[in-house]
Amino acid sequence: MKTDFYRFSIFGGDLRQVYLARLLAGQGHTVTVYGLCRPAAAFPEPFTEADSFAGAAEASAVFICPTPFLRGEYLSAKSPGVSIRPEEFFEAGCGGKTLFGGCIPQRFRERFLQEGGELVDLMQDETVAVRNSLATAEGAVAKAVIHSPRTLRESRCLILGYGRCGSALAALLKGICRETTVCARSPLQRAKASVCADEALDMKNLYHALKYADIVFNTIPSLILNRHMLRHAAPGTLILDLASAPGGVDLFAAEELGVRALSCPGLPGKYAPETSAQILADAVAEHLVHSKRQKAGS
Ligand code: NAP
């Protein structure tokens, strides 16, 4: 099968961007990087490190930006001294170019499209989300192992929500923890959960389930564990909030009530950056092939 080779510019981000650059360069694409969290010279793959954002932007027609796209006003970057304003894309000229990234703010997205660019938010890609959910579940289990004073084998685990992350977590915990309970609002999700969890409960039973849980994994992106609900947590319960900001746990109330609760963002990037990068590389390739076919057909 014939492979198309592209010129990619990869900016900022965490270790996922480093692995992504390595993967794409290893596949024979031309890769220019700027603001990665590791120096390009540390790796054997042939990619070029630009000395400015503008230089990296000019080098390619396809930009791969980090997830999340922004930290505050700047593109997410962990490289010391690198502060890239999103406006710099427009200063570098982005008409006709393609940009990939995750959690891209609407304002940037609109302007990029207006300037004639093509933009793909990888975090809105269902295949990416489903494949990421396993890495998220493994990261959550790693967090539980690190922060719980007991083995999982002795722990009663409670999972809130049974979407992509909740179901991946329930499948992973099956057989390694003492008991798994799922709380979900949808009868269909509870029916599915009952296949692999020991118990699947309606949300109205949450306060009861909390009393018996040693470790709670929240995947519900809504303030479920509020001050009132947290009062039902047993002493010593560990709560891990996987839901994206603002999360589903009142961390301030938890601290006041003496309940151990941790926010756990970005688990795939922290615990499985290489796998996460592969997932992103596959999604980028899929999109470029699809886009080329569409252009050829129009
Ligand atoms: P998902 O597939 O949409 O699942 C969300 C679950 O929450 C569903 O069971 C949904 O039930 C339930 N839910 C939503 N609002 C609810 C409410 N008000 N009351 C009760 N249940 C409610 O999402 P996901 O992919 O599993 O992701 C879950 C969260 O984790 C998101 O915030 C996501 O951004 C985040 N995330 C975090 C990481 C990390 O590294 N920490 C990684 C991936 C994703 P219904 O179907 O009935 O709405």
Side-chain angles (χ1 to χ4, degrees):
M1 198 173 77
K2 182 177 167 293
T3 309
D4 287 322
F5 292 103
Y6 292 89
R7 302 178 83 84
F8 291 105
S9 286
I10 302 183
F11 308 114
D14 55 23
L15 268 180
R16 280 173 290 188
Q17 294 289 92
V18 174
Y19 279 106
L20 192 54
R22 297 185 60 186
L23 266 167
L24 295 173
Q27 288 169 1
H29 301 288
T30 302
V31 176
T32 303
V33 300
Y34 182 71
L36 295 190
C37 63
R38 295 275 195 285
F43 303 103
E45 292 82 2
F47 49 84
T48 307
E49 191 157 24
D51 53 14
S52 67
F53 176 77
E58 271 165 29
S60 309
V62 185
F63 306 144
I64 307 187
C65 294
T67 300
F69 185 72
L70 291 183
R71 285 235 183 265
E73 293 169 35
Y74 298 100
L75 224 61
S76 308
K78 291 187 171 172
S79 177
V82 171
S83 308
I84 309 163
R85 288 175 296 107
E87 290 71 32
E88 292 180 50
F89 279 104
F90 306 113
E91 289 156 14
C94 54
K97 297 204 178 191
T98 303
L99 182 148
F100 294 90
C103 310
I104 303 171
Q106 185 63 18
R107 213 154 31 101
F108 178 88
R109 166 194 293 269
E110 280 167 12
R111 182 157 172 214
F112 195 86
L113 295 174
Q114 269 168 14
E115 303 257 344
E118 194 180 340
L119 185 146
V120 181
D121 193 321
L122 294 165
M123 290 303 112
Q124 291 183 4
D125 181 314
E126 179 68 12
T127 307
V128 171
V130 171
R131 290 182 71 192
N132 253 343
S133 65
L134 178 58
T136 306
E138 284 194 14
V141 169
K143 279 268 182 202
V145 169
I146 291 166
H147 293 282
S148 169
R150 293 187 204 97
T151 58
L152 287 175
R153 196 76 196 88
E154 290 176 300
S155 303
R156 283 168 295 210
C157 294
L158 172 62
I159 302 169
L160 309 184
Y162 199 73
R164 293 174 289 246
C165 294
S167 55
L169 200 44
L172 198 61
L173 288 172
K174 187 181 168 66
I176 58 170
C177 67
R178 178 170 157 194
E179 196 178 278
T180 314
T181 301
V182 170
C183 256
R185 65 178 173 187
S186 130
L188 176 61
Q189 288 183 350
R190 291 199 298 278
K192 288 181 178 169
S194 65
V195 175
C196 80
D198 295 292
E199 205 170 15
L201 301 173
D202 194 301
M203 296 304 294
K204 66 175 187 279
N205 294 315
L206 173 57
Y207 75 97
H208 182 71
L210 269 178
K211 287 182 188 157
Y212 297 99
D214 298 305
I215 306 173
V216 181
F217 298 90
N218 175 58
T219 74
I220 299 178
S222 190
L223 188 57
I224 291 299
L225 294 179
N226 53 26
R227 181 179 292 272
H228 166 73
M229 202 49 89
L230 286 167
R231 290 187 200 280
H232 296 285
T237 301
L238 170 67
I239 299 177
L240 301 175
D241 191 9
L242 275 55
S244 298
V249 183
D250 185 338
L251 297 173
F252 185 70
E255 195 176 343
E256 280 191 350
L257 295 166
V259 177
R260 220 146 55 93
L262 304 174
S263 168
C264 307
L267 294 170
K270 286 180 188 135
Y271 290 92
E274 186 173 355
T275 304
S276 302
Q278 183 66 64
I279 294 169
L280 298 177
D282 292 347
V284 166
E286 184 72 30
H287 177 85
L288 291 172
V289 167
H290 182 72
S291 172
K292 188 180 168 193
R293 276 202 205 116
Q294 270 193 329
K295 282 175 190 156
S298 60

